[in-house]
């Protein structure tokens, strides 16, 4: 029995030592990043070039790998740079497992879904860093890119949607990915905030008559016009497995009128592309579409903090975002790269978890009921 007791104590001590080591490394990484918040690009390049080993960025997008490789080539960094794509549904659980295990396999992330990201930042698994390149946005959850989602229909049909409530009344089918798309939950949740509920109410009254929205909200026992819209829209909409397929297989060349909601980038550009085959309903009363964010953060277990900071700066430049994503509906958060960003965002619902955080759990439960 004594032998087993000694072994147990030894294992406990080893675990404690390992845990202390992981915490020290995390504290060291945080210290480096905090001390480098005003470090110039030239200094970051010099220090990143001195770092060795692999540099791996986990992401919900397959485009990250080519971007990391272009970044390494541009600055002539040592080691190998790569991106690893994870399914959005499993992304945060996968990186949490790696980071909790003290793995140096993950150095940074490029991801979406501010609700889940805020949890990892709060736990200290990911570290926020604001880039120093001119014009870069500053935030407690830094994002380098806006990604636009809009409603669209094949141009061969005459129908026009000028008011968001038309999306519920239309005789056309409406395809919207409800299940398996957490970012769309944030879209619907944003509509319940006072600001968007007021805009939806005004759009309803313009369509049906003054005071009709208040009556409809009261009759349905809804909290505000945002909840009224969610109820009508999600009952109307047809779920589908993929937003890419909504764009390519449902909307384009449809035999009957159909409206689909998906990222604008899902419509290919070029002479033979599908982008010119559709019309976008992005001038509606109520809202124009949804602008969500792509975030980039540093893992607390990284062995290459300067490389990670340099990478975030690279993503925040015109070259970086062009390398990452080409096409329509993608815009840098950097006001010097995208000088008209404020006008582009006008009328679009912005992903903003902070505004819905207090009601998030109840909203998610409500939305899941429509799946």
């Amino acid at each position: 029995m004594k032998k087993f007791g000694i072994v147990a104590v030894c294992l406990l001590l080893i675990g404690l030592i390992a845990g202390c080591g992981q915490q020290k490394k995390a504290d060291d990484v945080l210290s480096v990043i905090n001390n480098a918040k005003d470090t110039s690009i030239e200094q970051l390049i010099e220090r990143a070039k001195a770092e060795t080993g692999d540099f791996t960025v986990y992401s919900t997008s397959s485009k990250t790998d080519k971007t990391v490789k272009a970044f390494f080539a541009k600055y002539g960094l040592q080691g190998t740079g790569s991106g690893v794509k994870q399914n959005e549904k499993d992304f945060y659980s996968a990186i949490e497992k790696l980071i909790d295990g003290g793995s140096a396999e993950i150095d940074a992330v490029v991801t979406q879904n501010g609700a889940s990201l805020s949890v990892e930042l709060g736990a200290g698994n990911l570290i926020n860093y604001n880039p120093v390149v001119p014009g870069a946005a500053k935030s407690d959850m830094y994002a380098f890119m806006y990604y636009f989602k809009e409603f669209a229909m094949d141009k061969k049909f005459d129908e026009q949607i000028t008011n968001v409530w038309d999306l519920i009344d239309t005789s056309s089918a409406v395809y919207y990915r409800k299940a398996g798309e957490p970012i769309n939950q944030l879209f619907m949740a944003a509509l319940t905030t006072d600001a968007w509920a007021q805009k939806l109410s005004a759009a309803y009254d313009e369509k049906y008559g003054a005071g009709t929205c208040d009556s409809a909200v009261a009759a349905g026992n809804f909290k505000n016009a945002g909840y009224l819209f969610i109820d009508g829209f999600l009952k109307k909409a047809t779920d589908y497995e993929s937003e890419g397929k909504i764009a390519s297989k449902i909307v384009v060349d449809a035999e009957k009128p159909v409206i689909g909601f998906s990222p604008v980038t899902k419509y290919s550009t070029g002479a033979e592309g599908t982008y010119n085959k559709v019309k976008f309903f992005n001038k509606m009363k109520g809202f124009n579409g949804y602008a969500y964010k792509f975030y980039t953060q540093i893992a607390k277990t990284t062995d290459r903090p300067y490389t990670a900071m340099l990478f975030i700066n690279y993503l925040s430049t015109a070259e970086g975002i062009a390398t990452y994503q080409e096409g329509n509906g993608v815009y840098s958060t950097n006001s010097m790269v995208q000088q008209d960003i404020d006008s582009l965002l006008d009328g679009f619902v912005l992903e903003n978890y902070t505004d819905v955080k207090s009601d998030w759990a109840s909203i998610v439960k409500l939305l899941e009921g429509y799946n």
Side-chain angles (χ1 to χ4, degrees):
M1 291 296 291
K2 288 184 179 179
K3 271 187 183 179
F4 289 116
I6 292 170
V7 170
V9 171
C10 289
L11 289 173
L12 177 62
L13 288 172
I14 290 169
L16 289 171
I17 292 168
C20 290
Q22 290 176 19
Q23 186 58 49
K24 183 180 186 305
K25 181 179 180 181
D27 291 343
D28 290 344
V29 170
L30 180 60
S31 178
V32 167
I33 294 170
N34 285 339
N35 290 333
K37 61 183 179 182
D38 297 320
T39 300
S40 68
I41 294 295
E42 292 73 22
Q43 289 173 312
L44 286 177
I45 294 171
E46 180 182 351
R47 294 172 187 178
K49 284 185 173 181
E51 293 179 329
T52 59
D54 293 339
F55 178 75
T56 307
V57 180
Y58 273 67
S59 176
T60 51
S61 170
S62 59
K63 299 176 179 67
T64 302
D65 184 59
K66 68 166 185 174
T67 308
V68 176
K69 286 178 167 58
F71 161 70
F72 258 62
K74 175 180 175 65
Y75 293 109
L77 302 177
Q78 299 185 67
T80 300
S82 63
V84 175
K85 184 181 184 300
Q86 283 278 343
N87 180 284
E88 183 187 351
K89 183 180 179 182
D90 304 319
F91 179 80
Y92 285 98
S93 60
I95 66 165
E96 193 173 279
K97 184 176 180 180
L98 286 170
I99 293 171
D100 285 347
S103 173
E105 180 185 337
I106 177 171
D107 297 283
V109 299
V110 170
T111 187
Q112 51 194 350
N113 191 341
S116 296
L117 176 62
S118 68
V119 174
E120 299 304 322
L121 286 168
N125 289 329
L126 298 175
I127 301 169
N128 189 64
Y129 166 75
N130 285 305
V132 295
V133 292
K138 305 295 181 186
S139 172
D140 291 337
M141 292 186 359
Y142 179 71
F144 70 97
M145 179 173 74
Y146 287 109
Y147 217 66
F148 279 29
K149 288 188 179 186
E150 300 177 12
F151 290 94
M153 172 182 265
D154 195 297
K155 283 181 178 178
K156 67 187 177 188
F157 301 112
D158 295 331
E159 184 176 8
Q160 295 294 328
I161 301 294
T162 59
N163 188 309
V164 295
W165 296 96
D166 295 342
L167 294 167
I168 298 172
D169 286 349
T170 179
S171 59
S172 300
V174 177
Y175 281 81
Y176 174 88
R177 193 170 185 220
K178 306 176 193 178
E181 188 72 13
I183 204 72
N184 283 353
Q185 292 182 333
L186 283 163
F187 173 36
M188 291 288 110
L191 298 178
T192 68
T193 62
D194 290 343
W196 286 107
Q198 289 170 14
K199 292 176 182 180
L200 287 169
S201 179
Y204 191 100
D205 284 356
E206 182 170 316
K207 179 176 173 66
Y208 298 110
T212 54
C213 188
D214 286 345
S215 298
V217 167
N221 198 28
F222 294 107
K223 184 176 180 181
N224 59 35
Y227 288 92
L228 175 66
F229 179 83
I230 288 172
D231 183 69
F233 176 72
L234 292 184
K235 286 178 178 176
K236 163 70 177 180
T238 299
D239 201 354
Y240 203 68
E241 63 186 277
S242 160
E243 289 184 331
K245 290 181 179 179
I246 288 176
S248 63
K249 293 187 176 183
I250 301 295
V251 173
V252 175
D253 297 329
E255 294 182 2
K256 296 180 180 180
V258 59
I259 299 167
F261 182 76
S262 60
V264 177
T265 57
K266 298 300 181 182
Y267 297 94
S268 57
T269 56
E272 301 300 319
T274 57
Y275 181 80
N276 293 322
K277 289 186 174 185
V278 301
K279 54 187 176 184
F280 294 96
F281 301 128
N282 53 17
K283 298 294 180 184
M284 299 181 290
K285 295 291 184 182
F287 59 77
N288 294 334
Y290 183 42
Y292 68 98
K293 299 173 183 177
F294 263 67
Y295 303 92
T296 179
Q297 312 289 328
I298 302 171
K300 72 177 184 180
T301 51
T302 182
D303 286 329
R304 301 190 63 158
Y306 290 107
T307 303
M309 285 184 279
L310 184 62
F311 178 65
I312 293 174
N313 277 280
Y314 174 70
L315 287 174
S316 306
T317 64
E319 178 184 347
I321 196 166
T323 303
Y324 189 87
Q325 177 74 66
E326 296 177 340
N328 299 295
V330 177
Y331 305 104
S332 174
T333 60
N334 186 318
S335 60
M336 293 185 68
V337 174
Q338 194 70 53
Q339 295 184 7
D340 59 346
I341 188 61
D342 289 339
S343 61
L344 288 169
L345 292 171
D346 186 40
F348 278 80
V349 179
L350 301 182
E351 179 197 342
N352 191 345
Y353 174 63
T354 302
D355 288 350
V356 298
K357 185 176 181 179
S358 59
D359 296 325
W360 180 240
S362 61
I363 293 173
V364 169
K365 185 176 181 180
L366 169 71
L367 294 175
E368 288 176 345
Y370 290 97
N371 288 340

